[in-house]
Amino acid sequence: MPRRRSPSPSSSTAPRNRTPQPVRVRRRSFGDFVKAFLAFVALAVLLVGVPFALAVTAGWPFPKTFEPMDWLKQDVSVDTFLAILTFVVWLAWAQFTACVLVEMKAALSGVGVPGRVPGAGPSQLLARQLVAALLLVGATAAGFAPGISQLGQSLEGNQRPAVAAAQQTPGFFAQQQEQAAGTAAALAEQASHAEAAAGSSARQQGDTKFYRIQPPEGRHHDSLWEIAERHLGDGRRYKEIFELNKDRTQPDGSKLSEASLIRPGWIMEMPGDARGGDLVEMPDEAPEVSPEVQQQIRDYDRTGDHAQGGGSGSGGGAALASVPEQRPAPAPAPANDDAGHQQERQHAAPARESSSFGLPEALLAAPLLAAGLLGALGHRRRQALWQSAFGGVGGRRGMEPPTPTGDAQDVQDALLVGADPEGVRLLDRSLRGLAASLAAESRPLPTVYAAWLSNGDLHLQLAQPSGKPPAPWRLGQDQTFWMLAKDDAERYEDADTAAPYPGLVSLGTMDDSRLLLNLESVPGIVSLSGAEADRAAVFASVAAELATNGWSDRMTITLVGFGEDLTPLAPSRLRHLDGIEALIETMEAETRQRRGALGAAGHDSVLTGRTGPARHTRWAPHLVLLAAEPSAEEAVTLAELAADAGRLGIGYLVGTGSGELPGAAWEMEITGEGKLLAPLLGLELDAQLLPADQQRAVVRLFTDADPEHGPGNGPDGPGTTPPFLVDISEQGRPAVYARLVGPYEIIGLDTPDGERSALLHEALALLLLHREGVHPRVLSSALWPRGVTDDVREALVERLRAWLGTDPDGTPRLGTDDTGRLTLAKSVVSDLDVLRSLYHEATQGKGVDNRAVRGRLLTDALVLVRGPLLADRPEGRYRWLTHEIVDAQLPLLVADTGLALCAFHLEKNRAEKAIEALNAALRTAPADERLWNELLRATHALDDPERLTALAADLVGRAGARGLPPRTEALLDELLPAWRDAVAAAG
């Protein structure tokens, strides 16, 4: 996703309060000098005291003579053992000394990341901390990279860029007094966006300035932080200077590759608003500068981005706008790519395709929300199928859910394209795995304020340092970040533990990083200001994701002032209250109840009740989403309730039109451009939204799937008719026939070349299962889940069209409907189409009035069933089937066919034929209770008690510890009253 700059402060849509304010400049404190002194003492002891003590007590580590054979012949005495230990200590001292020298060289040179001393992870980390503390009196903490700002990072793996957004907000969710101190600086940074964006034009007008680094007074080096303080008025703007000068060759041949200490004689390009000191304008306008320096500046000026066509101007702008671009390494080819399809791999896009084809962008940009909605929708449709099949609700609906149309169809396609179920699975397993590991170590869950997802890596932002995380987790850029790499997350298995952080919900993205805020842990109310429609889109997104996410077990989500129509998404999670008065009454009672329950259980917070010995308690969160703005009195009451809400597992997100809410702990604002701003927290995100029209379309998908309220819920409704009926007469012989029920076979087409055969077969299978049409983006996202460019997708469609060919009248067998979706001609059919058509014709067509036709059609239908759908599909392919309900439709259809044929034979007392039909259906639908019950009745009709007893014993054995279903038990009591004793005697 390309990075978007925030609007200038002069814009009418700019956030309020963007006027630059004076900032509190950090000066070196007495504590800094104390730390430096202690670091000097520690280094002196370790570097000088240790070898002196060893030399005095144990002597020089090397022997006076070199006689290896004599050493091997000597007895291993205590002295020998002590000599070996002494030698090891000398080696450790030498390694630590090397670490100190490496860190000192890197800090004093200011160039690059310090080199690694082999095998010296902890030693080098200690050396780095001591050197950084010692040099603290010579430069501020921001001048070291990696240095004091990187304390807590491990040397292994954490030198690579961490989550970009987290790096740029080191004070995110810090103590409230620290937040207040940083507010003015954050506002000043936002106010500088317009000046930063105008950098290229300023250069053309001769406004660019340069600074030649001078030896600082009393110290050896200067720092970008202090240069920014002197010339820009705010040390936090050092990132702008860094972005303008990184990787550019300096006069001495070195480069500023990290925002670290810099050398005298270097030249720094400065933003156009820099003032004072030794700044000069463009060289030609600075006659007071020596010709040598002028030439150096000219040479340096030629290395900038503008000289290379970049035209980036003044670079970073505000802190959030200068987040380093994260460019993920080329991903390996997906498992469902062809081994020889090199061109398509090279064109694979890292995430999404470039064209949306009119699909809702909000859902395309919300992969976790889309995955949750898609999973919940599939679950709802399966429930409707099972309820319909077993006569639970709404009569018989048939095998197909209603086909969505219009906006609902577009939204369903957007869900299929945008969903990231693998990301949800990894997030869920990672969090549960962390909880299980901490429980095994008898450690409590840390309080997590937020989670960042960046290129598959997961970063948890803790409320406070919580020690070393359990492997494979490791510390992030400081002690309040725990980080798990994607490769480590993929090794996690399902853990039998409660979801530790069910209140995490996506708010938006910053560059390649996605922020999930833990609403449950916020120490108070989170307020959201902005226009009413924009706030409603945020509230709807938060509610929909919380209701359907895959990393929660259970929760309660209370909606006030909006969302009454959202409850169909998850009736067990979502509830709607009419007003704030009812909300306050409800939450006062629940707050008292939770406090009492925690006290009685002896827990400090709900986190200690979710894992460990008490994890059976399953303290589920209660999240309140209040879109209606409360009055001042109501706001105070809510603030009092929320004061202790963090430990109780209760979260509050409250909307406000004024932008000020009494008692709000964290304040956010949604702009008309879709930016989510939180100046106190240093956040500027591309917000995750669910606009009103898409919200209505999503709800329609769920209500249509409801067996009680959806269309076609009666026996004569449209849900009983398949979406595509085949001409089953001899004249209706298809041109292309695909066998999907069982092993995949295609009749009527030549086999494509080996490289593309599997891909074309998979594309055809998807089209055959969706006769209503498939959006091109849905097709490409199914075949390439990691994304692919438009040209690769179009090339595939053309190959598929050429492979399928044309009908005798010249009509292509692969066409495009009015909405741009790909459709198959009626001459291309599958055995699943034939199976549906045969059953429909037997039960609702010619077979209704003609017994002989009905028996023939049902028999022909069962003959088509050769096994499960696509039984021989290659591993790693057809992953899109997880979003389908055909795996539930096919067994029910086969069971219905077997039951109908059984009834057909029992009408003529042909019990053996009925049993044969039922057994044929059971091979595909072995868990269908209806088939077993009819099998009991058909066996009872044989009047063979022994055979009936054997069947009962078989059923009891299949049921196992669960026991027989109540209906089956009741039927056995009717047909074989002594079945329990008979089964016990037989078994």
Side-chain angles (χ1 to χ4, degrees):
M1 180 184 298
R3 183 170 61 194
R4 295 183 291 171
R5 300 292 184 187
S6 61
S8 68
S10 61
S11 171
S12 61
T13 59
R16 57 184 173 81
N17 297 334
R18 285 197 170 188
T19 304
Q21 300 292 332
V23 300
R24 178 172 58 87
V25 178
R26 184 189 184 279
R27 302 297 182 185
R28 295 176 188 80
S29 64
F30 176 77
D32 293 335
F33 287 93
V34 172
K35 290 179 182 177
F37 175 76
L38 294 177
F40 173 80
V41 172
L43 286 172
V45 170
L46 293 173
L47 296 179
V48 180
V50 169
F52 178 79
L54 287 173
V56 171
T57 59
W60 187 247
F62 297 103
K64 297 179 180 179
T65 60
F66 185 76
E67 298 177 355
M69 298 306 298
D70 291 341
W71 297 344
L72 294 175
K73 295 177 182 179
Q74 294 178 0
D75 295 333
V76 179
S77 63
V78 175
D79 293 337
T80 305
F81 184 74
L82 291 176
I84 294 173
L85 288 180
T86 301
F87 184 77
V88 170
V89 175
W90 275 106
L91 283 179
W93 170 83
Q95 184 187 58
F96 178 78
T97 302
C99 294
V100 172
L101 293 176
V102 168
E103 295 295 326
M104 287 291 290
K105 179 181 182 298
L108 293 177
S109 66
V111 180
V113 178
R116 288 183 51 203
V117 177
S123 297
Q124 191 162 3
L125 181 59
L126 175 60
R128 176 173 302 172
Q129 294 174 355
L130 293 175
V131 170
L134 180 62
L135 296 181
L136 188 63
V137 296
T140 63
F144 296 91
I148 293 177
S149 63
Q150 299 291 327
L151 291 184
Q153 288 197 30
S154 66
L155 293 173
E156 301 293 336
N158 281 328
Q159 298 291 358
R160 61 184 178 179
V163 54
Q167 280 185 322
Q168 297 305 318
T169 55
F172 187 31
F173 305 132
Q175 299 296 328
Q176 294 297 321
Q177 59 268 29
E178 295 176 356
Q179 294 174 353
T183 305
L187 297 176
E189 289 170 346
Q190 293 173 355
S192 67
H193 278 209
E195 296 168 336
S200 58
S201 61
R203 170 179 295 281
Q204 295 172 0
Q205 300 168 6
D207 227 3
T208 301
K209 297 170 182 170
F210 293 85
Y211 174 65
R212 191 167 187 269
I213 305 302
Q214 303 297 322
E217 296 181 5
R219 290 173 285 109
H220 185 65
H221 285 90
D222 210 335
S223 71
L224 293 181
W225 180 282
E226 292 182 319
I227 294 173
E229 279 187 342
R230 291 196 301 269
H231 302 297
L232 300 177
D234 184 0
R236 292 178 176 84
R237 293 185 63 186
Y238 79 93
K239 301 182 184 69
E240 298 178 44
I241 306 175
F242 174 63
E243 290 295 326
L244 285 171
N245 296 278
K246 66 179 180 180
D247 297 326
R248 296 172 66 176
T249 303
Q250 294 291 337
D252 62 358
S254 57
K255 294 182 180 181
L256 180 68
S257 58
E258 296 285 343
S260 58
L261 297 177
I262 53 181
R263 302 175 182 175
W266 281 10
I267 295 170
M268 292 289 154
E269 183 176 352
M270 302 291 289
D273 61 339
R275 297 291 183 270
D278 297 310
L279 293 171
V280 298
E281 305 292 338
M282 293 299 290
D284 296 336
E285 301 176 17
E288 70 278 9
V289 179
S290 67
E292 180 183 358
V293 173
Q294 287 187 21
Q295 186 60 45
Q296 288 179 352
I297 293 176
R298 289 193 189 95
D299 294 340
Y300 187 77
D301 186 45
R302 296 191 190 100
T303 66
D305 290 341
H306 66 282
Q308 303 168 13
S312 62
S314 60
L320 293 172
S322 63
V323 175
E325 294 286 352
Q326 292 191 351
R327 304 184 183 275
N336 65 341
D337 198 5
D338 289 297
H341 226 169
Q342 186 64 28
Q343 178 184 4
E344 291 171 359
R345 284 201 203 102
Q346 292 173 351
H347 285 83
R352 296 284 177 256
E353 300 168 15
S354 60
S355 175
S356 67
F357 280 90
L359 296 182
E361 291 288 351
L363 290 173
L364 293 177
L368 303 185
L369 169 61
L373 288 171
L374 197 60
L377 180 61
H379 179 70
R380 180 69 52 83
R381 287 173 172 171
R382 284 180 171 83
Q383 279 187 321
L385 278 175
W386 294 327
Q387 290 174 349
S388 174
F390 289 91
V393 179
R396 200 72 177 91
R397 295 187 58 185
M399 293 296 103
E400 293 294 326
T403 300
T405 58
D407 290 344
Q409 188 177 22
D410 289 339
V411 161
Q412 177 173 277
D413 287 341
L415 294 178
L416 289 167
V417 174
D420 182 15
E422 181 67 13
V424 172
R425 184 184 68 87
L426 289 179
L427 176 61
D428 182 42
R429 286 188 171 185
S430 300
L431 295 176
R432 293 181 194 266
L434 173 63
S437 298
L438 290 171
E441 298 176 7
S442 299
R443 295 173 59 186
L445 284 168
T447 300
V448 170
Y449 279 159
W452 292 90
L453 287 171
S454 179
N455 297 323
D457 296 340
L458 174 60
H459 303 251
L460 297 183
Q461 198 155 359
L462 313 184
Q464 57 201 13
S466 299
K468 183 179 180 182
W473 291 78
R474 58 179 182 266
L475 289 173
Q477 58 262 33
D478 61 39
Q479 297 286 345
T480 60
F481 281 89
W482 286 5
M483 180 265 186
L484 181 68
K486 180 181 179 181
D487 293 341
D488 294 328
E490 290 175 343
R491 293 196 289 267
Y492 265 122
E493 301 292 338
D494 292 330
D496 182 20
T497 188
Y501 304 112
L504 284 169
V505 64
S506 302
L507 290 185
T509 59
M510 183 187 298
D511 292 333
D512 293 328
S513 300
R514 180 171 302 277
L515 171 67
L516 289 86
L517 179 67
N518 190 6
L519 286 177
E520 179 190 18
S521 68
V522 176
I525 292 175
V526 179
S527 69
L528 177 66
S529 62
E532 184 177 359
D534 298 327
R535 297 201 318 266
V538 175
F539 273 104
S541 171
V542 170
E545 185 170 296
L546 288 173
T548 61
N549 72 41
W551 54 88
S552 303
D553 295 322
R554 59 189 180 92
M555 67 174 66
T556 300
I557 307 160
T558 298
L559 312 179
V560 184
F562 84 107
E564 185 174 6
D565 57 339
L566 286 174
T567 53
L569 300 184
S572 61
R573 286 192 181 186
L574 291 170
R575 70 175 179 180
H576 180 267
L577 296 181
D578 294 331
I580 300 178
E581 183 177 350
L583 171 67
I584 290 176
E585 181 180 353
T586 300
M587 298 313 300
E588 284 178 341
E590 179 155 350
T591 300
R592 288 194 301 269
Q593 187 272 334
R594 290 207 174 206
R595 283 174 179 162
L598 281 177
H603 298 311
D604 295 330
S605 72
V606 295
L607 292 178
T608 58
R610 287 190 184 147
T611 58
R615 71 182 179 93
H616 62 276
T617 308
R618 305 279 176 135
W619 297 90
H622 185 167
L623 305 174
V624 176
L625 307 181
L626 173 57
E629 185 169 4
S631 65
E633 182 179 353
E634 291 168 338
V636 171
T637 303
L638 288 172
E640 293 173 351
L641 290 172
D644 196 30
R647 75 180 190 93
L648 300 178
I650 303 175
Y652 293 86
L653 178 61
V654 181
T656 171
S658 63
E660 296 181 359
L661 187 68
W666 298 340
E667 296 179 347
M668 298 187 298
E669 177 185 2
I670 179 66
T671 70
E673 292 76 25
K675 288 287 186 179
L676 189 65
L677 309 176
L680 281 175
L681 306 177
L683 285 178
E684 183 175 353
L685 306 171
D686 292 319
Q688 179 171 295
L689 306 172
L690 186 59
D693 56 340
Q694 297 174 36
Q695 175 186 332
R696 289 190 295 268
V698 166
V699 172
R700 179 181 160 194
L701 289 174
F702 280 79
T703 54
D704 286 352
D706 192 325
E708 290 185 305
H709 307 294
N713 61 346
D716 299 324
T720 60
T721 302
F724 177 69
L725 289 174
V726 178
D727 183 357
I728 56 177
S729 66
E730 287 295 329
Q731 293 73 27
R733 186 178 298 275
V736 178
Y737 182 64
R739 305 178 73 180
L740 304 180
V741 184
Y744 192 2
E745 299 176 16
I746 296 179
I747 301 172
L749 291 177
D750 295 331
T751 302
D753 61 76
E755 291 185 357
R756 299 191 177 100
S757 177
L759 200 65
L760 292 174
H761 277 72
E762 186 174 357
L764 179 57
L766 178 61
L767 290 166
L768 286 167
L769 293 177
H770 290 277
R771 302 304 305 226
E772 73 277 9
V774 176
H775 196 288
R777 290 207 62 183
V778 174
L779 177 65
S780 61
S781 66
L783 301 178
W784 294 284
R786 298 179 182 177
V788 74
T789 53
D790 294 346
D791 57 340
V792 174
R793 180 192 60 243
E794 292 166 1
L796 170 74
V797 172
E798 290 306 316
R799 292 191 196 101
L800 185 60
R801 184 175 283 115
W803 180 44
L804 291 174
T806 59
D807 286 333
D809 60 358
T811 304
R813 292 171 183 155
L814 178 63
T816 305
D817 65 11
D818 295 338
T819 65
R821 289 172 171 82
L822 302 171
T823 58
L824 291 174
K826 292 183 177 181
S827 59
V828 182
V829 303
S830 71
D831 54 356
L832 184 57
D833 296 325
V834 177
L835 177 60
R836 288 167 172 161
S837 299
L838 288 171
Y839 176 77
H840 176 76
E841 191 68 21
T843 56
Q844 299 182 51
K846 296 178 181 179
V848 174
D849 301 321
N850 190 319
R851 171 181 167 79
V853 171
R854 181 168 74 253
R856 177 175 56 81
L857 293 175
L858 292 173
T859 302
D860 290 346
L862 273 184
V863 169
L864 289 175
V865 181
R866 300 174 299 125
L869 188 77
L870 298 167
D872 59 349
R873 61 180 180 265
E875 184 179 358
R877 289 191 179 275
Y878 299 87
R879 293 181 179 176
W880 46 269
L881 282 173
T882 58
H883 301 316
E884 307 283 342
I885 62 169
V886 67
D887 60 335
Q889 292 172 317
L890 179 59
L892 289 176
L893 176 59
V894 173
D896 284 347
T897 304
L899 291 170
L901 188 56
C902 170
F904 170 82
H905 288 304
L906 288 179
E907 288 175 0
K908 295 297 184 178
N909 296 319
R910 295 197 291 263
E912 287 289 358
K913 287 288 186 180
I915 292 172
E916 182 181 342
L918 292 171
N919 283 328
L922 279 168
R923 285 192 287 271
T924 299
D928 197 309
E929 181 187 355
R930 299 171 301 160
L931 292 176
W932 289 109
N933 291 348
E934 288 305 312
L935 188 58
L936 287 172
R937 291 189 178 98
T939 305
H940 180 262
L942 295 175
D943 196 18
D944 187 346
E946 292 185 1
R947 187 169 175 179
L948 184 60
T949 300
L951 178 59
D954 185 25
L955 283 176
V956 171
R958 289 174 180 270
R962 295 175 300 173
L964 294 174
R967 292 183 184 181
T968 304
E969 280 195 353
L971 180 60
L972 277 173
D973 288 337
E974 176 187 346
L975 302 178
L976 191 64
W979 68 274
R980 291 177 176 82
D981 295 336
V983 167

